[in-house]
Amino acid sequence: MAERVRNRARAFGRQVGVLVDLQGPKIRISRLKNGGVELTEMDPFTLDAALADDEGDNHQVGVD
């Protein structure tokens, strides 16, 4: 889309700035002890900012 705007601006001899709204912060999970888990529907699962890296399991995982 930005390229289309720039092409049209160029055709009219103008310069146009393109403002992009970037996505906000994301929750990133830490690594899991066994590389992965399978979650069961309705079982509790906690995102814990205090949990050490590599300590995640099928009940909880650390977040950055």
Side-chain angles (χ1 to χ4, degrees), residues 27-30 39 44-51 59-64:
I27 295 174
R28 300 192 189 280
I29 63 169
S30 299
L39 302 177
F45 187 79
T46 303
L47 301 175
D48 187 348
L51 191 66
H59 301 290
Q60 62 188 355
V61 69
V63 294
D64 297 338

Side-chain angles (χ1 to χ4, degrees), residues 5-52:
V5 170
R6 288 193 174 121
N7 285 339
R8 295 305 306 153
R10 214 173 295 122
F12 288 97
R14 305 272 185 181
Q15 289 185 335
V16 175
V18 178
L19 179 66
V20 178
D21 183 18
L22 300 176
Q23 189 171 329
K26 294 181 181 179
I27 295 174
R28 300 192 189 280
I29 63 169
S30 299
R31 290 185 294 272
L32 300 160
K33 285 183 202 177
N34 299 320
V37 296
E38 187 170 329
L39 302 177
T40 305
E41 187 174 344
M42 300 306 293
D43 279 353
F45 187 79
T46 303
L47 301 175
D48 187 348
L51 191 66

